[in-house]
Amino acid sequence: PYIYIDPTGVPYPNIYWQVIFYSQFPSPIVAQVGLMFLGDYLEFPCYPERGFDPNSEEVILEPTRSERGYLLGVVEKYRQRRLSVEFPFLPDSWVRNNFLPFWNEHIPKPFLFVWDYENHPREIYLVEMAEPRLEVPYNPIYRSLRLEMVGRKA
């Protein structure tokens, strides 16, 4: 089977798409689609600064206490991934031509973050900015950028 995406009749930028599944066999196709993303990607010109932890995790707990303040139990609500990424040596032209348009168009919406697709292709995270604040200060030649992202750990 293969997938054909038909955007006919929908003006660009496309919001709604028709996905058609074709098969060479007469049997019905059973498809499960959780999330499907179409669009451009933003590739950084360098790797994150040393100290980046792609497996950083935070457990969100809900403690229950008695009327006297004694701990009765703790329930794990969910686990979230908290990523802090620093890029200290970004060219000003890349920031102006690539990052700022991304920021203006996509933040505060969630996005996919892949830190090393060639060596870790399964580490793709659906994240959002923890604090959507834009700061890209100048160093003498380069600009630096720090991104604080959070997302639910699957």
Side-chain angles (χ1 to χ4, degrees):
Y2 63 92
I3 299 174
Y4 171 69
I5 300 172
D6 181 19
T8 56
V10 181
Y12 188 81
N14 297 320
I15 298 174
Y16 302 103
W17 295 77
Q18 177 184 9
V19 178
I20 304 169
F21 295 89
Y22 290 101
S23 177
Q24 300 172 356
F25 307 105
S27 63
I29 297 173
V30 177
Q32 295 179 348
V33 177
L35 293 172
M36 186 169 63
F37 295 92
L38 303 172
D40 294 332
Y41 63 93
L42 176 67
E43 184 174 356
F44 282 81
C46 57
Y47 279 103
E49 181 70 8
R50 290 187 323 212
F52 166 65
D53 182 6
N55 303 109
S56 177
E57 177 181 313
E58 181 180 0
V59 181
I60 307 301
L61 302 173
E62 184 175 322
T64 304
R65 301 191 178 274
S66 70
E67 292 179 2
R68 293 182 175 227
Y70 294 106
L71 183 64
L72 298 175
V74 176
V75 175
E76 180 180 316
K77 292 175 70 175
Y78 59 92
R79 292 174 184 255
Q80 81 178 10
R81 191 168 302 279
R82 181 170 289 275
L83 302 171
S84 178
V85 185
E86 290 186 46
F87 299 95
F89 302 109
L90 295 173
D92 179 58
S93 61
W94 183 88
V95 170
R96 291 179 185 274
N97 297 330
N98 296 289
F99 183 75
L100 292 179
F102 163 78
W103 182 271
N104 293 331
E105 292 293 323
H106 298 291
I107 302 302
K109 298 178 248 179
F111 57 93
L112 292 174
F113 177 75
V114 182
W115 71 280
D116 187 357
Y117 187 76
E118 291 179 5
N119 297 318
H120 303 279
R122 298 184 61 86
E123 294 185 21
I124 302 172
Y125 308 122
L126 179 62
V127 297
E128 62 185 343
M129 297 301 295
E131 295 181 23
R133 178 179 47 213
L134 179 62
E135 292 177 353
V136 193
Y138 276 101
N139 290 337
I141 300 172
Y142 297 101
R143 295 181 80 170
S144 61
L145 173 66
R146 180 183 176 98
L147 299 176
E148 298 283 339
M149 301 170 282
V150 294
R152 177 87 187 261
K153 183 173 184 233

